[in-house]
Amino acid sequence: LIEDIYFGDVYLLAGQSNIELRLWQTNAGEEEYESNPLVRAFFTKIEKENNDYPAEEKWLKAIGCVSHWSALGWTIANRFQKETGHAIGIISCYRGASCIQSWLPKDILKGTELEFACEDITGHLRREECIDFNHDGFLYEGKFKKIIPFSLNSAIWYQGESNSRPVELARVYKGLLKTLIECWRSDLKDEKLPFVLVQIHDYKYFDEQEGWSLVQKAQAEIQHEIENVKTVNSFDVCENEIIHPTTKLPLAMRIKAALQDLTVWGYHK
């Protein structure tokens, strides 16, 4: 006898620290910390992941634990569940300070104009642990492949800060993003899997503004070049004086609206 099984809508949360940012790290009101047993989360892990992650990789009910969930993911999922009545699942597949190359299969970029030496990609990273998990293919193997070949309703990708320098790397970000979308759709056996991309916010203290702007430009343009991709801007709803904006509710509502534009009751249009 199999118990505690739900049929519902599953969303992938992927990228780096701004989608990883936990609810307790934001300025969310107390009402956002409610429980909802029809919302569940699955956290992919790699070795040496910090203690903010659950000890086991399994589906967790949103009962008394959402403070350590992705603020964006929980906010979106909880509202979808209340509006649709569906069970909602969110797969947390992110890593702060990650570069997009780590989320791609090793050697997929070899011999192309998108290939960069590892030291060129990670040279600006200060912590050794960040360099370790940003080798080509590391997070693809350690996190993303764990969810293949399961079906998803949509994917949310919020990343780009770590690819905004050096500027030469930022110039090829659109090509890297196209490669990721095509690769993940192929792996998940869904050529039209909806992708919502979150454009990185304006951060006025970043020391490579040209690279930052190039990443933003690539994120804005790609929705017009690939089917079933929608970009959500964040610059006017996120604080620009900090790298991790703590105001997430307005951005969550924009992401949710974009997901609804790409799907009907959780299914592809």
Side-chain angles (χ1 to χ4, degrees):
L1 178 65
I2 300 177
E3 299 179 333
D4 204 23
I5 301 295
Y6 286 86
F7 293 89
D9 307 328
V10 180
Y11 299 90
L12 175 65
L13 313 175
Q16 57 180 113
S17 52
N18 270 311
I19 197 165
E20 180 180 26
L21 201 72
R22 277 96 174 152
L23 189 63
W24 70 267
Q25 296 173 305
T26 73
N27 57 16
E30 290 184 10
E31 69 279 1
E32 298 296 333
Y33 288 78
E34 65 180 328
S35 294
N36 187 337
L38 288 178
V39 177
R40 301 188 179 194
F42 183 92
F43 294 82
T44 59
K45 292 182 64 177
I46 54 174
E47 289 185 16
K48 299 181 181 180
E49 204 105 56
N50 63 42
N51 292 329
D52 280 337
Y53 287 83
E56 299 179 67
E57 289 181 315
K58 63 180 183 180
W59 285 101
L60 300 174
K61 292 181 181 180
I63 300 177
C65 60
V66 299
S67 62
H68 286 275
W69 290 18
S70 159
L72 288 173
W74 160 246
T75 303
I76 294 165
N78 192 35
R79 281 163 171 75
F80 265 143
Q81 196 289 312
K82 290 179 177 180
E83 290 180 14
T84 65
H86 298 182
I88 303 292
I90 52 176
I91 298 176
S92 299
C93 187
Y94 39 59
R95 189 64 167 93
S98 60
C99 299
I100 194 171
Q101 287 89 341
S102 185
W103 294 102
L104 290 166
K106 186 178 181 180
D107 296 332
I108 194 173
L109 305 174
K110 194 169 184 177
T112 74
E113 61 180 7
L114 304 177
E115 182 184 17
F116 281 74
C118 184
E119 55 268 26
D120 294 332
I121 298 170
T122 62
H124 64 283
L125 299 173
R126 299 175 183 176
R127 293 183 295 170
E128 187 65 33
E129 63 183 271
C130 296
I131 295 174
D132 289 344
F133 64 70
N134 269 308
H135 287 93
D136 285 358
F138 187 88
L139 294 174
Y140 176 83
E141 290 289 331
K143 282 181 171 279
F144 179 74
K145 281 186 73 173
K146 291 178 179 179
I147 68 172
I148 299 173
F150 301 114
S151 298
L152 302 171
N153 292 79
S154 306
I156 303 166
W157 176 257
Y158 191 174
Q159 189 275 342
E161 298 93 338
S162 290
N163 281 84
S164 56
R165 61 181 171 188
V167 68
E168 292 79 14
L169 187 60
R171 289 194 179 105
V172 300
Y173 188 75
K174 189 196 292 186
L176 292 167
L177 198 49
K178 284 182 177 180
T179 303
L180 180 130
I181 293 171
E182 292 168 358
C183 173
W184 284 17
R185 282 177 168 175
S186 176
D187 287 339
L188 295 167
K189 312 299 182 189
D190 189 346
E191 295 181 357
K192 293 186 177 181
L193 177 69
F195 265 80
V196 171
L197 311 178
V198 184
Q199 189 180 39
I200 57 176
H201 70 297
D202 291 338
Y203 178 42
K204 65 181 181 180
Y205 296 121
F206 192 66
D207 59 6
E208 183 54 85
Q209 288 294 327
E210 181 182 359
W212 194 274
S213 297
L214 284 169
V215 169
Q216 290 177 317
K217 183 174 184 286
Q219 292 168 331
E221 292 177 347
I222 198 166
Q223 64 182 324
H224 305 298
E225 301 176 21
I226 301 181
E227 185 181 6
N228 272 19
V229 174
K230 195 171 183 67
T231 301
V232 171
N233 70 62
S234 64
F235 64 87
D236 60 332
V237 293
C238 291
E239 300 91 336
N240 67 1
E241 70 276 4
I242 49 178
I243 189 68
H244 300 124
T246 57
T247 299
K248 295 298 185 188
L249 181 58
L251 182 57
M253 294 301 95
R254 285 187 180 177
I255 298 170
K256 175 177 170 289
L259 290 167
Q260 289 172 309
D261 284 346
L262 293 173
T263 60
V264 178
W265 294 102
Y267 298 96
H268 302 9
K269 284 186 176 178

